[in-house]
Amino acid sequence: MTQPRPLKSENGNVFEDLSGISSNSTNNPYDALIEACGTPMEIQARYALHRDTRNTTQRQKFVNKDFTGVIVDPILDKLVNPEQYPDFSDERHCLVFWARPPVDVRALIANLQTQLRIIAPHLWLMPINCLHMTTLEITFSLTAPEIDDIVNRMSTAIPEITDYTYNHRARLIKPRLNYDAAAIALSFEPAAGESFPDGREPEADDYTYHHLRRDLYNLSKSTGVEVASRYVVPSAHLTIARFVSQTDVSASPSDDRPDLGKVEGLVNHIEKINLELQDQYWPKEHSTIKPGGEWLVGQEKGLDCRKGTLCNPPVATDMNILQSIANLRDIQDERSAGQRASRVEDKSLSQRDNPKSERFQAIEQKRQPAQKIQQAHQQISKGPTKDPRRSHAQYTGK
């Protein structure tokens, strides 16, 4: 079957489907893989093939004598160096639906970021409170008025989309680091009946993360908007770090040429972490999965619909992040069983629930633990944001 042409990001990084399935043959790009796979196990195998092939390919590129260095995102570089670019602002506006990782996954990522900084101390780390998995990207790199127009056209569907995971619980397992010359991500695979948690039947895994992405695409298209997503490959990942300089892989501070010894050391370090992840966080027969190794998408807060710039501005993660992990651990058992109501997130962290949500009244009394978790996030990230975030009801004026 003919493979689709790989898409490129603005920094030259390639989004290529390595699963062996073409997404060009159907109106909904997520249908092709579902139709080609008869079981959740087969869908999981395609996700595994994609990420394993990608890591193998990237290793070959990194350790090759012709490796030219990491890809520094020019936008992020300017945002993390405001003293050099005091008047710069990111004008790329997007509209996306994000899944936010639950407390156990955030704690795991904080640990991984610390381990990565050991070998690459100049990495930019995604702030813990900004971690996200792009479940569906509607569009990218438009102007603010263009995004506002799309939001207005989608306004009736946004609450249904953000609340969709309340009754459609896709489970992700098997965390692993993936990397390329631009960034490092933590990826997962759709579950297929392994080590299912209490209260969840194995058949529940028949509805996979790929089914969720398919459904969100259909719901968005039903509003008449064009879904111009770059992310249709079979991947469930969160970016946790980006390269903002050549320093960690270069021969010297004054020489940006790659030091192949440093490059190979970075790759080996990532692969060592992956072996530890597989040993500690992957499913084992007759055993539950260690906290952090499993993710029910939408857990704790549903999906976020976010409009605005991606970085406004990014905040560097403090290296003392692990000091706040104890707070997350202390309160994780109290976390709310309900999900947050519908919302459009507008470039910041604070958010009120939409009082028009059908389940708002039912979960309001359970919100205190979730609020304490949010406070712990802010202690970890140590990064204030500038703009208030308004609920969907407030934003649309309804």
Side-chain angles (χ1 to χ4, degrees):
M1 186 176 290
T2 303
Q3 287 295 305
R5 179 185 300 176
L7 298 177
K8 285 190 176 182
S9 67
E10 293 183 352
N11 63 15
N13 201 24
V14 176
F15 305 112
E16 182 178 3
D17 190 336
L18 302 172
S19 69
I21 301 294
S22 171
S23 61
N24 286 349
S25 58
T26 57
N27 292 329
N28 184 324
Y30 301 103
D31 276 334
L33 188 143
I34 293 172
E35 293 172 1
C37 299
T39 65
M41 191 172 296
E42 292 178 63
I43 292 177
Q44 182 187 99
R46 294 292 182 174
Y47 271 69
L49 176 62
H50 172 82
R51 71 175 185 174
D52 292 348
T53 301
R54 184 171 175 81
N55 265 10
T56 298
T57 302
Q58 293 302 319
R59 168 177 251 286
Q60 293 169 350
K61 290 180 178 180
F62 269 65
V63 302
N64 190 290
K65 61 181 178 62
D66 296 324
F67 181 67
T68 57
V70 297
I71 300 173
V72 175
D73 185 327
I75 303 294
L76 183 58
D77 178 49
K78 291 180 173 66
L79 289 169
V80 298
N81 292 292
E83 67 285 350
Q84 298 179 36
Y85 309 96
D87 299 322
F88 179 80
S89 62
D90 185 2
E91 300 300 328
R92 306 167 302 169
H93 289 251
C94 66
L95 180 61
V96 291
F97 290 95
W98 280 351
R100 301 286 192 172
V103 61
D104 291 326
V105 176
R106 293 195 298 272
L108 171 61
I109 291 172
N111 250 310
L112 295 175
Q113 289 179 328
T114 301
Q115 292 184 57
L116 289 170
R117 272 283 183 87
I118 294 172
I119 193 72
H122 297 90
L123 278 174
W124 175 81
L125 304 180
M126 180 70 75
I128 296 298
N129 59 323
C130 294
L131 288 166
H132 62 273
M133 179 169 63
T134 302
T135 305
L136 183 67
E137 180 182 59
I138 302 300
T139 192
F140 179 80
S141 203
L142 297 182
T143 65
E146 288 172 325
I147 294 293
D148 288 342
D149 177 65
I150 297 174
V151 170
N152 289 335
R153 292 161 61 192
M154 291 188 68
S155 61
T156 58
I158 286 175
E160 181 180 1
I161 294 172
T162 56
D163 286 357
Y164 198 73
T165 55
Y166 186 67
N167 292 312
H168 299 80
R169 305 293 179 90
R171 188 166 66 112
L172 297 172
I173 58 174
K174 299 184 179 180
R176 170 175 290 173
L177 291 179
N178 282 84
Y179 63 96
D180 57 26
I184 302 172
L186 182 67
S187 67
F188 293 81
E189 296 175 7
E194 305 93 335
S195 302
F196 46 92
D198 292 340
R200 182 179 174 92
E201 298 297 327
E203 293 77 15
D205 285 341
D206 289 349
Y207 187 83
T208 71
Y209 180 62
H210 212 75
H211 289 86
L212 174 63
R213 298 169 76 191
R214 176 203 63 187
D215 290 351
L216 299 187
Y217 184 96
N218 284 335
L219 287 169
S220 299
K221 287 283 286 185
S222 70
T223 66
V225 304
E226 184 65 29
V227 180
S229 175
R230 300 166 298 161
Y231 303 100
V232 297
V233 301
S235 178
H237 69 274
L238 313 88
T239 298
I240 66 172
R242 289 191 180 276
F243 296 103
V244 289
S245 79
Q246 302 289 343
T247 306
D248 293 326
V249 297
S250 64
S252 70
S254 59
D255 186 353
D256 280 347
R257 290 178 299 175
D259 180 321
L260 292 184
K262 289 184 177 179
V263 173
E264 188 166 3
L266 173 61
V267 171
N268 289 341
H269 189 72
I270 291 172
E271 292 179 348
K272 178 184 176 183
I273 292 174
N274 278 338
L275 290 175
E276 294 172 352
L277 285 172
Q278 184 168 344
D279 178 63
Q280 298 179 31
Y281 290 92
W282 284 32
K284 292 180 175 62
E285 192 172 2
H286 307 303
S287 178
T288 58
I289 297 174
K290 183 176 179 179
E294 179 180 59
W295 178 1
L296 284 174
V297 180
Q299 184 177 349
E300 297 180 356
K301 62 187 306 182
L303 300 179
D304 278 350
C305 179
R306 187 183 191 280
K307 76 180 188 74
T309 57
L310 289 177
C311 306
N312 190 47
V315 288
T317 305
D318 194 290
M319 278 310 295
N320 293 323
I321 50 179
L322 288 182
Q323 293 180 1
S324 291
I325 292 303
N327 290 340
L328 291 172
R329 290 293 184 197
D330 289 343
I331 62 179
Q332 63 184 330
D333 291 334
E334 301 179 61
R335 60 179 178 256
S336 173
Q339 298 178 343
R340 287 192 181 180
S342 311
R343 57 212 179 266
V344 173
E345 179 181 330
D346 194 0
K347 300 188 295 187
S348 68
L349 303 177
S350 61
Q351 169 68 44
R352 290 196 301 238
D353 278 329
N354 178 358
K356 294 185 179 182
S357 170
E358 292 182 358
R359 64 176 190 278
F360 176 82
Q361 298 295 332
I363 67 174
E364 177 63 15
Q365 60 185 0
K366 302 178 183 178
R367 291 289 311 286
Q368 287 299 320
Q371 291 169 357
K372 289 197 288 183
I373 291 174
Q374 177 69 13
Q375 292 168 1
H377 296 181
Q378 293 168 348
Q379 292 173 10
I380 290 174
S381 65
K382 300 183 184 296
T385 55
K386 294 182 177 180
D387 304 317
R389 184 170 65 189
R390 294 168 291 182
S391 71
H392 172 69
Q394 292 170 310
Y395 179 78
T396 60
K398 295 181 179 180

